[in-house]
Amino acid sequence: MARILVTNGEGTPGVGTAARMLAAGSGGLDAIEAGIRLVEADTTIRSVGRGGWPNLLGEVELDAAMIDGNSFRSGAVGALKGYLHPISVARAVMERLPHEMLVGEGAARFANEIEAETADNLIPDSERVWRQWFEETVSPTERERWPEVDLTALCQQAIDPEKGMDTTVFLTLDAKSEIMAGVSTSGWAWKYPGRLGDSPIIGAGCYADTRYGAAACTGTGEMAIRAGTSRAIVLYMKMGLSLAAAVDEAIDDLRRLRGGLIQRLTLHAIDCDGDHRVVTVNAEGQPSYWLWREGDEAPRAEPAEVVAL
Ligand code: ASP
């Protein structure tokens, strides 16, 4: 089957490396990890790794996950602070622990144990924008008591679409016809501390099954969690639907969501025949993604389909 790589706009710093690795015969997990590490280290990508937006307390908490579509082993970290490459910590969870997910202090403890590279992920520009928000939004009385304040009302800031959000997602079909997925994000700017989006939740933010395909989401993770979107797409393919129909079915599930956050969500999917589909629901503007297929000299940017919910 022809090799394929799909990643989103945030994947720009890593797409070339991941495509070259797949072309040279690397396994999907290696190509995904290498690609995502480049995104995590790039401070121009404001929603992933170093340079990601902080939470309400001004701390950068990172989420990442990987899944091996052969074994269904997965590794995820959530709300990880102080490390440069959450994707590599997630991979180590998958390969070195009898667990699938670590969060918060436990994730940081494990990252330290495996000697993962530390980093101050709050870059000066993020700190400046957060401090400006803090001074404009938090009352003088609350500032005096900070951080012992009620964050629930302030948390409404986290749903402001003007604030940064996004994720990088990588889906691969490699030389051995194996299908893998990986994702990494700083989640939503000004999120409640400890909030996990869909990215570290296997089945919501990503899923892969070498027999059928893989899927990953970006955007409003709360929606993908509620609808189990990535797992749903792969399962619909298992139940006999084409890739296109499986994505339509997952979009139909999203239409049933009531209340809560209903905003933008982008669904990325590939199948075991090397086909793909990328659709954004509730798009703001025209999203695009990167596609590389075996034989292509270089990845090329493609417009995502846009569907109103
Ligand atoms: N899906 C991510 C999350 O909810 C953010 C994003 O991709 O915009 O954390």
Side-chain angles (χ1 to χ4, degrees), residues 26 30 42 80 83 118-119 140 179 203 220 270 282:
S26 293
D30 290 339
D42 189 323
L80 176 65
Y83 288 88
T118 57
I179 295 183
T220 314
I270 63 173
N282 294 336

Side-chain angles (χ1 to χ4, degrees), residues 9-111:
E10 280 63 31
T12 302
V15 63
T17 295
R20 278 190 296 278
M21 287 176 70
L22 285 176
S26 293
L29 290 179
D30 290 339
I32 289 170
E33 183 181 4
I36 292 184
R37 283 173 66 95
L38 290 166
V39 183
E40 290 173 337
D42 189 323
T43 53
T44 65
I45 304 295
R46 300 307 299 274
S47 52
V48 181
R50 192 151 185 276
W53 294 110
N55 65 16
L56 281 172
L57 297 177
E59 301 166 335
V60 179
E61 292 181 328
L62 302 176
D63 304 334
M66 267 199 153
I67 175 163
D68 174 332
N70 291 331
S71 62
F72 306 105
R73 274 308 312 272
S74 64
V77 289
L80 176 65
K81 290 192 269 193
Y83 288 88
L84 185 57
H85 292 302
I87 193 67
S88 297
V89 184
R91 185 168 184 179
V93 169
M94 175 169 83
E95 292 178 344
R96 296 164 72 164
L97 287 178
H99 305 309
E100 311 291 317
M101 180 193 280
L102 293 178
V103 300
E105 284 175 18
R109 179 192 171 103
F110 176 67

Side-chain angles (χ1 to χ4, degrees), residues 165-167 185 187-188 195 197-199 217-222 264:
M165 55 175 187
D166 242 312
T167 300
T185 187
W188 283 65
R195 175 265 188 191
D198 55 332
S199 306
C217 298
T218 62
T220 314
E222 284 73 4
R264 176 180 60 85

Side-chain angles (χ1 to χ4, degrees), residues 102-126:
L102 293 178
V103 300
E105 284 175 18
R109 179 192 171 103
F110 176 67
N112 179 51
E113 253 177 56
I114 63 167
E115 297 180 0
E117 194 175 339
T118 57
D120 179 1
N121 289 320
L122 186 69
I123 61 170
D125 189 60
S126 301

